[in-house]
Amino acid sequence: MTEGGFYNHAFIERKWQQYWSATNAFVANEEEADKSSKYYVLEMFPYPSGRMHVGHVRNYAIGDAIARFKRMQEYCVLHPIGWDAFGLPAENAAILHKMDPQTWTLENIEVMKGQLDRLGFSYDWGRTVATCFPLYYKREQEMFLTLLEKGLAYQKESTVNWDPVDNTVLANEQVINGCGWRSGAVVERRQLKQWFFKITNFAEELLSGLDTLTKWPEKVRIMQRKWIGKSDGALIDFKLAHDPSQHISVFTTRPDTIFGATFVAIAYDHPLVATLQESEELENFLSQSKRGGISEAIQETADKLGYPLGFYVLHPFDPKSKLPVYVVNFVLAEHGTGAIFGCPAHDQRDFDFAMKYELPVIRVVSPVNSQVESELPFIEEDGLLVNSSFLNGKVVMDAKLAAIAELERLGVGRKHTTYRLRDWGVSRQRYWGCPIPIIYCDTCGVIPVPSSQLPVKLPEDITFDAPGNPLSNHPTWKHVQCPKCGKDAERETDTFDTFVESSWYFAYFCSPKSNSVIDREQTEKWLPVDIYIGGVEHAVLHLLYARFFTKALTYCGYWNISEPFSALLTQGMVCHPSYRDKAHNWFYPNEVVEKDGQYCDVKTGNSVIRENKEKMSKSKKNIVEPDTMLQQYGADSLRMFILSDSPPERDMEWSEKGIEGAHKYLNRLYQFVKNVQENGFARGEVRSEVDLDQHERNRMLLKAMHDGIDKVTHNLNLYLLNKVIANIRELTNTLYSSKADISTISDVLGCIVRLLYPIAPHIAEEMWQMLGEKSALAFAKWPILDSSLLINEIFVVVVQVNGKKRGTIEVQEDMSQEDVEGLARPLIQSCLSDKHIAKVVYVPLKIINFVCI
């Protein structure tokens, strides 16, 4: 016992962590696993940033509870952990601290691994890996060469978001309000030769596959559907008025509005622009258009600018009608065809542009059954066509079909399907990433590095003194001989986007010691992951890329797997108030004290502003580190509280009172077990007297136990861990007030300890041993449910005589009508003095009506 009467959590937790490690309790048995018995639990692997906060603990505690539960259900569980180790933060930290990224990363891994060990998570540590290890990224480089060979990887000139501070390409999602997500610098547009993965080849497969992912949150599937963005419409060829042999192709989802077209707009990087006669005014406009990123968010919010090119295109249905052509800053060549037709009356962007440049606005759709014309632009598709020649009077959907048919008849357009999804640009201009295994030779061109020369390792003797990519600046690393002709050549100095590493790591864990890229037998045995746990912020990029990789590797013959993750749980954030002064200097929670309802800096006493509770983040210092909680309360109390506060998918509020409550519950249960162990009864427990014989008291407690087994099992299978903990506490309270005999109490205690094990494993193991069990809970089975002892739910049934209410009775779900009648008859005796019962009408669990005459 420790001071204050609490159990010695530090001793107990070390004891059982050492036991689990010594007995290899959580090592997945590859020989025993098969498709019916395996269960693969995986949390999104962490970035080794240095120290965890309790928000990270929640993610891992959810997965650990599920993994322990499934082991007790006799599944062969795979529960690995690794480190998403590449990326810009390590590079930025290296510059800041004047150290190399590898040292910074590996030191952080050691710190975080120590924290995970102290929390007692049941990982198969023998499978762990960091993505910066050459043994890991060698496989990735080999996959890339296969993708290249199969036509799923390619290189092209591309317009990119360029961060001028981090000196790297950014994905659209990494551009926030026109600035780089890490540096905050205003993003520029640049043309660079980039490597791409052909994710668009799988657009339809990725879209249809979402229908099979019924165990994913619907909001995630909706987000992916929108990102893939399937659109049906038409390709329309607008012939140039001065040269009808040439045309500008436009894709539109609204061919019905073609008679409302008043201009055509092309991207600043459209191929047609390169053929135009140079002018200073045009060059200035093009230069201005290249500022800012290429993300849709930027395009939507930026001022819509255009430059008239001085020529026209012919309307496809009326050659006498000519539309002016503009080059604009809000269309990109890589999006669709790089050209649009503007219909200002029915599109807000086109309307704004038309107002700015005084272009006509022609209404071609009017609301159905409306006596008053709507304001322009009228966006809704629920309307009738007007001012549209042969389309007049048609509803929008019919008008679309008629317009496409006429385009095809005239040979100036055709039905077409397109996707919002774009190929994945994977080139990044930084050091700390997986090298792209390509060599450039003036004689032989672009040459893949031979597989015998893999992995292409990163050099360790790098500096960050010069701006730009350290690999480009390295004096020797990039200089090699061409593997084909032997002449001097250069390596590719771009590295892969770190999303590439996280797109297949779940497969690595299936066969970490394999000599092949993918061990087909092992990966097809373990995959798909049965439950994948992580933040909803990864709903689009990471999850979509992992799905693409899975399908691409199937296409390449590595395996035959359609989806990587069967079920997905997106856990909520852990929230905490943040504190700052008027100068927006942030304070850690332990640097602030409350005095008379005011918050002050502990050191200076100066006033501090308390902000609303929000997601924990290092930037605002509103984090609670697990080390302090582990020292004061122990791993089990921390795990129990963080799982008990709310459903896993919802945000939770950190509360020290909450963890204190969890700690008190565990301590009281521990003391109860200790009293039973030492004295044969629960000394000091107050029990209510009940007028029942001993057999009935035992039976009632056993019924409560099996009711608890049923509820806990049900809620664990649904991952409702907050309900699981409530169920266990309810059963514990029933035990405390029970007058059952010591044998029954011991049986129920053993059950509670087993039910508690996935949540608070260390103290559960200790109490299990205290109850006289010889084997550890890590190797025990889940309690067996006796359904005959379940507590039936109580229902209130209205008792009527000739339809008039005479009272109510309480019945159980499995009661027969005869039993219900027996309970109801005492309530109707006064009504039967001169009558008899002719008929009984029973609506199960609701009403029983005695028809008397």
Side-chain angles (χ1 to χ4, degrees), residues 265-301:
I266 64 175
Y268 75 90
D269 51 349
H270 189 283
L272 184 61
V273 174
T275 68
L276 301 177
Q277 186 174 353
E278 293 185 8
S279 73
E280 184 177 349
E281 192 174 359
L282 175 60
E283 288 302 315
N284 288 338
F285 179 81
L286 296 177
S287 177
Q288 184 179 5
S289 297
K290 294 176 183 178
R291 297 172 190 162
I294 61 174
S295 70
E296 290 184 12
I298 292 175
Q299 294 177 59
E300 289 173 3
T301 56

mmCIF file of all heavy atoms in Angstrom, residues 265-301:
data_model
loop_
_atom_site.group_PDB
_atom_site.id
_atom_site.type_symbol
_atom_site.label_atom_id
_atom_site.label_comp_id
_atom_site.label_asym_id
_atom_site.label_seq_id
_atom_site.Cartn_x
_atom_site.Cartn_y
_atom_site.Cartn_z
ATOM 1 N N ALA A 265 -13.789 31.176 -71.055
ATOM 2 C CA ALA A 265 -12.585 31.531 -70.295
ATOM 3 C C ALA A 265 -11.611 30.373 -70.326
ATOM 4 O O ALA A 265 -12.006 29.207 -70.200
ATOM 5 C CB ALA A 265 -12.954 31.872 -68.847
ATOM 6 N N ILE A 266 -10.314 30.685 -70.505
ATOM 7 C CA ILE A 266 -9.281 29.651 -70.503
ATOM 8 C C ILE A 266 -8.246 29.961 -69.425
ATOM 9 O O ILE A 266 -8.092 31.107 -68.996
ATOM 10 C CB ILE A 266 -8.602 29.508 -71.884
ATOM 11 C CG1 ILE A 266 -7.853 30.796 -72.258
ATOM 12 C CG2 ILE A 266 -9.620 29.127 -72.949
ATOM 13 C CD1 ILE A 266 -7.051 30.666 -73.573
ATOM 14 N N ALA A 267 -7.544 28.936 -68.987
ATOM 15 C CA ALA A 267 -6.530 29.084 -67.951
ATOM 16 C C ALA A 267 -5.325 29.850 -68.484
ATOM 17 O O ALA A 267 -5.028 29.835 -69.682
ATOM 18 C CB ALA A 267 -6.097 27.706 -67.464
ATOM 19 N N TYR A 268 -4.598 30.473 -67.569
ATOM 20 C CA TYR A 268 -3.400 31.217 -67.971
ATOM 21 C C TYR A 268 -2.344 30.295 -68.543
ATOM 22 O O TYR A 268 -1.474 30.716 -69.304
ATOM 23 C CB TYR A 268 -2.841 32.003 -66.779
ATOM 24 C CG TYR A 268 -2.123 31.152 -65.766
ATOM 25 C CD1 TYR A 268 -0.753 30.924 -65.882
ATOM 26 C CD2 TYR A 268 -2.800 30.565 -64.712
ATOM 27 C CE1 TYR A 268 -0.078 30.137 -64.967
ATOM 28 C CE2 TYR A 268 -2.148 29.782 -63.787
ATOM 29 C CZ TYR A 268 -0.787 29.568 -63.921
ATOM 30 O OH TYR A 268 -0.130 28.781 -63.012
ATOM 31 N N ASP A 269 -2.415 28.968 -68.175
ATOM 32 C CA ASP A 269 -1.441 28.016 -68.700
ATOM 33 C C ASP A 269 -2.073 27.071 -69.729
ATOM 34 O O ASP A 269 -1.553 25.993 -69.998
ATOM 35 C CB ASP A 269 -0.811 27.216 -67.551
ATOM 36 C CG ASP A 269 -1.849 26.601 -66.603
ATOM 37 O OD1 ASP A 269 -3.033 26.952 -66.708
ATOM 38 O OD2 ASP A 269 -1.455 25.778 -65.744
ATOM 39 N N HIS A 270 -3.193 27.478 -70.325
ATOM 40 C CA HIS A 270 -3.826 26.696 -71.391
ATOM 41 C C HIS A 270 -2.902 26.685 -72.615
ATOM 42 O O HIS A 270 -2.241 27.689 -72.923
ATOM 43 C CB HIS A 270 -5.178 27.319 -71.751
ATOM 44 C CG HIS A 270 -6.026 26.504 -72.670
ATOM 45 N ND1 HIS A 270 -5.806 26.423 -74.027
ATOM 46 C CD2 HIS A 270 -7.115 25.725 -72.430
ATOM 47 C CE1 HIS A 270 -6.709 25.634 -74.575
ATOM 48 N NE2 HIS A 270 -7.528 25.201 -73.625
ATOM 49 N N PRO A 271 -2.804 25.566 -73.339
ATOM 50 C CA PRO A 271 -1.896 25.497 -74.507
ATOM 51 C C PRO A 271 -2.127 26.605 -75.524
ATOM 52 O O PRO A 271 -1.180 27.038 -76.208
ATOM 53 C CB PRO A 271 -2.209 24.128 -75.110
ATOM 54 C CG PRO A 271 -2.702 23.319 -73.960
ATOM 55 C CD PRO A 271 -3.457 24.271 -73.081
ATOM 56 N N LEU A 272 -3.348 27.094 -75.638
ATOM 57 C CA LEU A 272 -3.650 28.145 -76.607
ATOM 58 C C LEU A 272 -2.910 29.440 -76.290
ATOM 59 O O LEU A 272 -2.531 30.192 -77.197
ATOM 60 C CB LEU A 272 -5.167 28.398 -76.636
ATOM 61 C CG LEU A 272 -5.677 29.413 -77.658
ATOM 62 C CD1 LEU A 272 -5.352 28.969 -79.086
ATOM 63 C CD2 LEU A 272 -7.183 29.613 -77.507
ATOM 64 N N VAL A 273 -2.668 29.688 -74.998
ATOM 65 C CA VAL A 273 -2.016 30.939 -74.590
ATOM 66 C C VAL A 273 -0.605 31.014 -75.172
ATOM 67 O O VAL A 273 -0.132 32.099 -75.569
ATOM 68 C CB VAL A 273 -1.982 31.048 -73.051
ATOM 69 C CG1 VAL A 273 -1.176 32.273 -72.607
ATOM 70 C CG2 VAL A 273 -3.401 31.113 -72.496
ATOM 71 N N ALA A 274 0.069 29.875 -75.253
ATOM 72 C CA ALA A 274 1.445 29.856 -75.765
ATOM 73 C C ALA A 274 1.516 30.250 -77.237
ATOM 74 O O ALA A 274 2.583 30.631 -77.734
ATOM 75 C CB ALA A 274 2.047 28.461 -75.557
ATOM 76 N N THR A 275 0.394 30.182 -77.968
ATOM 77 C CA THR A 275 0.391 30.506 -79.399
ATOM 78 C C THR A 275 0.059 31.971 -79.659
ATOM 79 O O THR A 275 0.104 32.423 -80.809
ATOM 80 C CB THR A 275 -0.635 29.631 -80.139
ATOM 81 O OG1 THR A 275 -1.969 29.994 -79.731
ATOM 82 C CG2 THR A 275 -0.401 28.159 -79.845
ATOM 83 N N LEU A 276 -0.273 32.704 -78.586
ATOM 84 C CA LEU A 276 -0.718 34.085 -78.768
ATOM 85 C C LEU A 276 0.456 35.023 -78.984
ATOM 86 O O LEU A 276 1.578 34.766 -78.536
ATOM 87 C CB LEU A 276 -1.513 34.542 -77.539
ATOM 88 C CG LEU A 276 -2.768 33.724 -77.209
ATOM 89 C CD1 LEU A 276 -3.412 34.243 -75.926
ATOM 90 C CD2 LEU A 276 -3.767 33.773 -78.364
ATOM 91 N N GLN A 277 0.182 36.096 -79.661
ATOM 92 C CA GLN A 277 1.209 37.112 -79.897
ATOM 93 C C GLN A 277 1.538 37.798 -78.579
ATOM 94 O O GLN A 277 0.637 38.184 -77.820
ATOM 95 C CB GLN A 277 0.717 38.140 -80.920
ATOM 96 C CG GLN A 277 1.785 39.154 -81.322
ATOM 97 C CD GLN A 277 1.284 40.057 -82.446
ATOM 98 O OE1 GLN A 277 0.210 39.851 -83.010
ATOM 99 N NE2 GLN A 277 2.069 41.068 -82.768
ATOM 100 N N GLU A 278 2.822 37.939 -78.283
ATOM 101 C CA GLU A 278 3.239 38.510 -77.007
ATOM 102 C C GLU A 278 2.895 39.990 -76.934
ATOM 103 O O GLU A 278 2.961 40.720 -77.917
ATOM 104 C CB GLU A 278 4.738 38.325 -76.803
ATOM 105 C CG GLU A 278 5.158 36.876 -76.638
ATOM 106 C CD GLU A 278 6.641 36.756 -76.328
ATOM 107 O OE1 GLU A 278 7.290 37.807 -76.102
ATOM 108 O OE2 GLU A 278 7.153 35.622 -76.326
ATOM 109 N N SER A 279 2.501 40.403 -75.721
ATOM 110 C CA SER A 279 2.287 41.825 -75.444
ATOM 111 C C SER A 279 2.622 42.056 -73.977
ATOM 112 O O SER A 279 2.473 41.144 -73.143
ATOM 113 C CB SER A 279 0.846 42.233 -75.726
ATOM 114 O OG SER A 279 -0.032 41.722 -74.736
ATOM 115 N N GLU A 280 3.053 43.245 -73.668
ATOM 116 C CA GLU A 280 3.443 43.551 -72.295
ATOM 117 C C GLU A 280 2.259 43.427 -71.350
ATOM 118 O O GLU A 280 2.368 42.901 -70.240
ATOM 119 C CB GLU A 280 4.023 44.968 -72.219
ATOM 120 C CG GLU A 280 4.535 45.331 -70.819
ATOM 121 C CD GLU A 280 5.167 46.713 -70.779
ATOM 122 O OE1 GLU A 280 5.388 47.292 -71.870
ATOM 123 O OE2 GLU A 280 5.438 47.203 -69.671
ATOM 124 N N GLU A 281 1.093 43.853 -71.812
ATOM 125 C CA GLU A 281 -0.100 43.807 -70.985
ATOM 126 C C GLU A 281 -0.499 42.361 -70.672
ATOM 127 O O GLU A 281 -0.839 42.023 -69.531
ATOM 128 C CB GLU A 281 -1.252 44.534 -71.695
ATOM 129 C CG GLU A 281 -2.447 44.803 -70.799
ATOM 130 C CD GLU A 281 -3.503 45.642 -71.497
ATOM 131 O OE1 GLU A 281 -3.291 46.029 -72.666
ATOM 132 O OE2 GLU A 281 -4.542 45.902 -70.863
ATOM 133 N N LEU A 282 -0.443 41.506 -71.694
ATOM 134 C CA LEU A 282 -0.771 40.100 -71.480
ATOM 135 C C LEU A 282 0.242 39.444 -70.557
ATOM 136 O O LEU A 282 -0.132 38.686 -69.648
ATOM 137 C CB LEU A 282 -0.812 39.358 -72.822
ATOM 138 C CG LEU A 282 -1.024 37.834 -72.751
ATOM 139 C CD1 LEU A 282 -2.347 37.508 -72.065
ATOM 140 C CD2 LEU A 282 -0.967 37.225 -74.151
ATOM 141 N N GLU A 283 1.529 39.739 -70.758
ATOM 142 C CA GLU A 283 2.557 39.148 -69.909
ATOM 143 C C GLU A 283 2.387 39.558 -68.454
ATOM 144 O O GLU A 283 2.563 38.754 -67.533
ATOM 145 C CB GLU A 283 3.951 39.549 -70.409
ATOM 146 C CG GLU A 283 4.361 38.874 -71.710
ATOM 147 C CD GLU A 283 4.344 37.362 -71.600
ATOM 148 O OE1 GLU A 283 4.858 36.846 -70.589
ATOM 149 O OE2 GLU A 283 3.812 36.709 -72.515
ATOM 150 N N ASN A 284 2.011 40.808 -68.233
ATOM 151 C CA ASN A 284 1.771 41.272 -66.861
ATOM 152 C C ASN A 284 0.604 40.515 -66.222
ATOM 153 O O ASN A 284 0.651 40.154 -65.044
ATOM 154 C CB ASN A 284 1.496 42.778 -66.847
ATOM 155 C CG ASN A 284 2.739 43.593 -67.131
ATOM 156 O OD1 ASN A 284 3.869 43.117 -66.956
ATOM 157 N ND2 ASN A 284 2.558 44.828 -67.575
ATOM 158 N N PHE A 285 -0.425 40.301 -67.032
ATOM 159 C CA PHE A 285 -1.583 39.574 -66.504
ATOM 160 C C PHE A 285 -1.212 38.128 -66.174
ATOM 161 O O PHE A 285 -1.595 37.599 -65.125
ATOM 162 C CB PHE A 285 -2.742 39.594 -67.503
ATOM 163 C CG PHE A 285 -3.947 38.827 -67.009
ATOM 164 C CD1 PHE A 285 -4.831 39.412 -66.119
ATOM 165 C CD2 PHE A 285 -4.159 37.518 -67.397
ATOM 166 C CE1 PHE A 285 -5.927 38.713 -65.631
ATOM 167 C CE2 PHE A 285 -5.248 36.801 -66.916
ATOM 168 C CZ PHE A 285 -6.136 37.402 -66.029
ATOM 169 N N LEU A 286 -0.478 37.490 -67.066
ATOM 170 C CA LEU A 286 -0.081 36.104 -66.824
ATOM 171 C C LEU A 286 0.801 35.993 -65.590
ATOM 172 O O LEU A 286 0.668 35.053 -64.797
ATOM 173 C CB LEU A 286 0.651 35.543 -68.045
ATOM 174 C CG LEU A 286 -0.174 35.430 -69.335
ATOM 175 C CD1 LEU A 286 0.701 34.925 -70.479
ATOM 176 C CD2 LEU A 286 -1.370 34.511 -69.141
ATOM 177 N N SER A 287 1.692 36.949 -65.409
ATOM 178 C CA SER A 287 2.565 36.949 -64.242
ATOM 179 C C SER A 287 1.756 37.097 -62.960
ATOM 180 O O SER A 287 2.013 36.419 -61.962
ATOM 181 C CB SER A 287 3.586 38.078 -64.355
ATOM 182 O OG SER A 287 4.390 38.150 -63.205
ATOM 183 N N GLN A 288 0.755 37.971 -63.004
ATOM 184 C CA GLN A 288 -0.096 38.182 -61.840
ATOM 185 C C GLN A 288 -0.909 36.925 -61.518
ATOM 186 O O GLN A 288 -1.125 36.579 -60.352
ATOM 187 C CB GLN A 288 -1.038 39.364 -62.097
ATOM 188 C CG GLN A 288 -1.912 39.740 -60.906
ATOM 189 C CD GLN A 288 -2.806 40.938 -61.210
ATOM 190 O OE1 GLN A 288 -2.840 41.435 -62.329
ATOM 191 N NE2 GLN A 288 -3.539 41.397 -60.214
ATOM 192 N N SER A 289 -1.342 36.211 -62.548
ATOM 193 C CA SER A 289 -2.166 35.013 -62.361
ATOM 194 C C SER A 289 -1.403 33.890 -61.688
ATOM 195 O O SER A 289 -2.006 32.990 -61.083
ATOM 196 C CB SER A 289 -2.702 34.523 -63.705
ATOM 197 O OG SER A 289 -3.540 35.489 -64.291
ATOM 198 N N LYS A 290 -0.077 33.909 -61.808
ATOM 199 C CA LYS A 290 0.728 32.828 -61.234
ATOM 200 C C LYS A 290 0.924 32.975 -59.738
ATOM 201 O O LYS A 290 1.452 32.076 -59.085
ATOM 202 C CB LYS A 290 2.096 32.782 -61.921
ATOM 203 C CG LYS A 290 2.008 32.383 -63.389
ATOM 204 C CD LYS A 290 3.359 32.436 -64.069
ATOM 205 C CE LYS A 290 3.239 32.110 -65.556
ATOM 206 N NZ LYS A 290 4.538 32.208 -66.253
ATOM 207 N N ARG A 291 0.473 34.105 -59.197
ATOM 208 C CA ARG A 291 0.627 34.307 -57.758
ATOM 209 C C ARG A 291 -0.476 33.558 -57.028
ATOM 210 O O ARG A 291 -1.609 33.481 -57.484
ATOM 211 C CB ARG A 291 0.560 35.790 -57.407
ATOM 212 C CG ARG A 291 1.685 36.606 -58.027
ATOM 213 C CD ARG A 291 1.472 38.085 -57.809
ATOM 214 N NE ARG A 291 2.418 38.876 -58.588
ATOM 215 C CZ ARG A 291 2.259 40.162 -58.872
ATOM 216 N NH1 ARG A 291 1.190 40.799 -58.433
ATOM 217 N NH2 ARG A 291 3.159 40.804 -59.591
ATOM 218 N N GLY A 292 -0.128 33.047 -55.850
ATOM 219 C CA GLY A 292 -1.112 32.294 -55.080
ATOM 220 C C GLY A 292 -1.108 30.839 -55.469
ATOM 221 O O GLY A 292 -0.595 30.444 -56.505
ATOM 222 N N GLY A 293 -1.694 30.019 -54.613
ATOM 223 C CA GLY A 293 -1.697 28.577 -54.830
ATOM 224 C C GLY A 293 -2.721 28.145 -55.851
ATOM 225 O O GLY A 293 -3.478 28.946 -56.399
ATOM 226 N N ILE A 294 -2.753 26.829 -56.083
ATOM 227 C CA ILE A 294 -3.644 26.270 -57.093
ATOM 228 C C ILE A 294 -4.827 25.541 -56.472
ATOM 229 O O ILE A 294 -5.600 24.910 -57.173
ATOM 230 C CB ILE A 294 -2.877 25.292 -58.003
ATOM 231 C CG1 ILE A 294 -2.314 24.126 -57.189
ATOM 232 C CG2 ILE A 294 -1.783 26.007 -58.759
ATOM 233 C CD1 ILE A 294 -1.676 23.044 -58.027
ATOM 234 N N SER A 295 -4.973 25.615 -55.151
ATOM 235 C CA SER A 295 -6.071 24.897 -54.514
ATOM 236 C C SER A 295 -7.399 25.551 -54.861
ATOM 237 O O SER A 295 -7.481 26.746 -55.156
ATOM 238 C CB SER A 295 -5.893 24.871 -52.994
ATOM 239 O OG SER A 295 -6.083 26.155 -52.451
ATOM 240 N N GLU A 296 -8.469 24.757 -54.789
ATOM 241 C CA GLU A 296 -9.791 25.269 -55.122
ATOM 242 C C GLU A 296 -10.221 26.352 -54.146
ATOM 243 O O GLU A 296 -10.908 27.297 -54.516
ATOM 244 C CB GLU A 296 -10.805 24.130 -55.121
ATOM 245 C CG GLU A 296 -10.623 23.161 -56.279
ATOM 246 C CD GLU A 296 -11.693 22.096 -56.304
ATOM 247 O OE1 GLU A 296 -12.697 22.241 -55.573
ATOM 248 O OE2 GLU A 296 -11.536 21.131 -57.052
ATOM 249 N N ALA A 297 -9.819 26.209 -52.888
ATOM 250 C CA ALA A 297 -10.195 27.199 -51.886
ATOM 251 C C ALA A 297 -9.644 28.571 -52.252
ATOM 252 O O ALA A 297 -10.319 29.599 -52.107
ATOM 253 C CB ALA A 297 -9.687 26.776 -50.508
ATOM 254 N N ILE A 298 -8.411 28.591 -52.754
ATOM 255 C CA ILE A 298 -7.801 29.855 -53.155
ATOM 256 C C ILE A 298 -8.526 30.426 -54.371
ATOM 257 O O ILE A 298 -8.850 31.618 -54.435
ATOM 258 C CB ILE A 298 -6.305 29.671 -53.455
ATOM 259 C CG1 ILE A 298 -5.547 29.340 -52.174
ATOM 260 C CG2 ILE A 298 -5.710 30.895 -54.126
ATOM 261 C CD1 ILE A 298 -4.084 29.031 -52.381
ATOM 262 N N GLN A 299 -8.817 29.565 -55.333
ATOM 263 C CA GLN A 299 -9.488 30.023 -56.544
ATOM 264 C C GLN A 299 -10.869 30.596 -56.242
ATOM 265 O O GLN A 299 -11.311 31.563 -56.855
ATOM 266 C CB GLN A 299 -9.608 28.871 -57.543
ATOM 267 C CG GLN A 299 -8.270 28.379 -58.072
ATOM 268 C CD GLN A 299 -8.440 27.196 -58.987
ATOM 269 O OE1 GLN A 299 -9.110 27.271 -60.000
ATOM 270 N NE2 GLN A 299 -7.844 26.070 -58.608
ATOM 271 N N GLU A 300 -11.560 29.991 -55.270
ATOM 272 C CA GLU A 300 -12.909 30.439 -54.945
ATOM 273 C C GLU A 300 -12.906 31.797 -54.253
ATOM 274 O O GLU A 300 -13.815 32.599 -54.443
ATOM 275 C CB GLU A 300 -13.593 29.404 -54.053
ATOM 276 C CG GLU A 300 -13.961 28.117 -54.797
ATOM 277 C CD GLU A 300 -14.476 27.051 -53.859
ATOM 278 O OE1 GLU A 300 -14.598 27.338 -52.647
ATOM 279 O OE2 GLU A 300 -14.766 25.946 -54.328
ATOM 280 N N THR A 301 -11.890 32.054 -53.420
ATOM 281 C CA THR A 301 -11.881 33.283 -52.634
ATOM 282 C C THR A 301 -11.130 34.425 -53.315
ATOM 283 O O THR A 301 -11.332 35.589 -52.976
ATOM 284 C CB THR A 301 -11.257 33.025 -51.251
ATOM 285 O OG1 THR A 301 -9.940 32.483 -51.423
ATOM 286 C CG2 THR A 301 -12.101 32.029 -50.471
#
